[in-house]
Amino acid sequence: MEILIAPFGSPLYHQSITLRTSILRKPLNLTYTPFQLEEEKDQIHIVAEENGEVLGVVLLQKIDANTAKLRQFAVKDKYQNQGVGTDWQKQIFNYGA
């Protein structure tokens, strides 16, 4: 598993939108509006990727020079409860350190 930054509008970014929609939005019968997605352009989109497949995604929203907020943390169903999210979260915290 590789942790990558998915630039806004990139193919990895679009894969992450699909994943976030299926895991976080669809169960609540919600969709993203273009305005909501546009608001994310200044956030850091981090994906867990393996063999071209996005396994998970999280957004980092900068609060101030020393603080970022984790948002929209999602892991594909088939990788949940296997420690992928936990291992990935450790890497994300190391990224911010």
Side-chain angles (χ1 to χ4, degrees):
M1 176 175 63
E2 188 174 7
I3 305 302
L4 304 168
I5 293 178
F8 186 78
S10 70
L12 280 177
Y13 169 80
H14 289 291
Q15 284 185 53
S16 76
I17 295 298
T18 300
L19 175 60
R20 289 168 43 206
T21 298
S22 68
I23 300 295
L24 304 173
R25 294 292 188 154
K26 190 175 180 181
L28 301 173
N29 201 29
L30 297 172
T31 59
Y32 289 105
T33 66
F35 177 75
Q36 288 171 316
L37 295 175
E38 184 66 26
E39 284 186 320
E40 296 178 355
K41 69 180 177 186
D42 295 324
Q43 297 176 25
I44 300 169
H45 301 255
I46 302 174
V47 297
E49 183 267 345
E50 189 170 73
N51 299 321
E53 177 183 14
V54 172
L55 310 181
V57 59
V58 67
L59 277 59
L60 293 179
Q61 180 179 11
K62 186 176 179 179
I63 303 298
D64 59 38
N66 300 311
T67 310
K69 176 181 176 180
L70 286 175
R71 299 187 58 247
Q72 302 282 307
F73 200 121
V75 176
K76 272 192 173 182
D77 287 335
K78 67 182 180 182
Y79 297 101
Q80 292 180 9
N81 299 313
Q82 297 179 28
V84 172
T86 301
D87 290 344
W88 184 33
Q89 190 173 16
K90 290 175 188 172
Q91 292 182 38
I92 291 166
F93 286 126
N94 288 335
Y95 172 81

